[in-house]
Amino acid sequence: MCGIVAYVGNKNAIPILLKGLERLEYRGYDSAGIAILNGDNNIHIFKKQGKVNDLRKHIPENVPASSIGIGHTRWATHGEPSDKNAHPHFSESKDMAIIHNGIIENYDHLKEALTKKGHTFKSDTDTEVLIHLIEEIQKQDNLELGTAIQEALKQVIGAYAIVIIEKNNPDRLIAARKSSPLVIGVGDGEFFLASDATPIVEY
């Protein structure tokens, strides 16, 4: 099973995400990754096939602190275990990143339509297709991101728990779920999301 952890608040997100991913290791996984948004107003993704400890070693020590981030442990469904298929995944413009548990059953049909519109995919996953679809709808219909996500999910067949960050909204996470678990933790000026309570119970 895949694992999700996400944070937005007044602390450095990176250690919270890494510790949370370690606490989700019991679910089983083949790769791990995080995406953060820091002072340069760009989303930075670090991901690695293997264990969370391999990911920890892959993240440079001088990465600036970030008050928002998403993390994921992946168990391969669409696409073999690899760095490129690990989550998070960028949208076409790299303005957004997504983590996802579940399976998008009609992803191949959606991918074909998006490819015809000029989208280029870097992975073999259904998850990357979903974030491209969301961005396509957002730009095509000039929608606020939350509305674009709702519209995109109307086209999706399958189960999901997703969390998305957007570089133009550095203090907001957007999450949605259907038939996959997702826990929300509410703190003092901070919020946590996870596949279960294990990563966030200490907060």
Side-chain angles (χ1 to χ4, degrees):
M1 285 190 297
C2 303
I4 278 175
V5 60
Y7 175 81
V8 59
N10 45 35
K11 299 183 179 71
N12 183 7
I14 298 173
I16 293 172
L17 297 176
L18 291 173
K19 184 189 288 187
L21 292 178
E22 287 173 337
R23 290 183 173 177
L24 290 171
E25 287 187 305
Y26 76 92
R27 298 167 69 92
Y29 67 106
D30 55 54
S31 58
I34 65 170
I36 57 169
L37 180 61
N38 56 32
D40 66 0
N41 198 38
N42 286 309
I43 297 172
H44 298 270
I45 289 180
F46 305 96
K47 54 186 182 177
K48 200 73 179 166
Q49 181 182 351
K51 299 299 182 183
V52 175
N53 196 46
D54 298 319
L55 170 64
R56 189 184 291 275
K57 294 174 183 176
H58 179 62
I59 299 172
E61 292 184 4
N62 61 350
V63 173
S66 171
S67 61
I68 184 170
I70 56 179
H72 190 267
T73 53
R74 175 181 187 258
W75 189 257
T77 50
H78 294 110
E80 65 182 10
S82 65
D83 290 354
K84 74 172 185 176
N85 288 332
H87 295 210
H89 289 286
F90 274 124
S91 64
E92 178 82 13
S93 68
K94 297 189 175 183
D95 287 349
M96 291 182 274
I98 188 174
I99 50 178
H100 163 228
N101 289 356
I103 296 176
I104 307 302
E105 296 174 11
N106 61 333
Y107 87 102
D108 51 350
H109 170 73
L110 297 170
K111 186 174 185 177
E112 182 180 351
L114 289 165
T115 300
K116 289 178 179 177
K117 293 183 178 181
H119 288 253
T120 303
F121 296 93
K122 306 292 196 301
S123 78
D124 306 312
T125 66
D126 53 339
T127 303
E128 187 185 14
V129 173
L130 179 55
I131 193 65
H132 278 242
L133 175 64
I134 290 167
E135 184 171 70
E136 176 68 23
I137 290 172
Q138 182 191 34
K139 291 184 174 180
Q140 176 182 293
D141 299 332
N142 193 27
L143 298 175
E144 192 273 333
L145 179 57
T147 304
I149 292 170
Q150 290 175 326
E151 291 302 312
L153 292 175
K154 291 177 183 177
Q155 299 184 32
V156 165
I157 299 171
Y160 53 81
I162 61 172
V163 187
I164 294 171
I165 58 172
E166 181 185 29
K167 77 174 191 177
N168 295 326
N169 284 283
D171 57 356
R172 183 177 72 168
L173 297 168
I174 298 182
R177 62 172 293 274
K178 178 184 179 183
S179 303
S180 290
L182 193 65
V183 175
I184 299 176
V186 181
D188 183 9
E190 57 186 1
F191 295 88
F192 305 80
L193 294 109
S195 297
D196 61 42
T198 310
I200 64 177
V201 65
E202 72 172 280
Y203 307 105

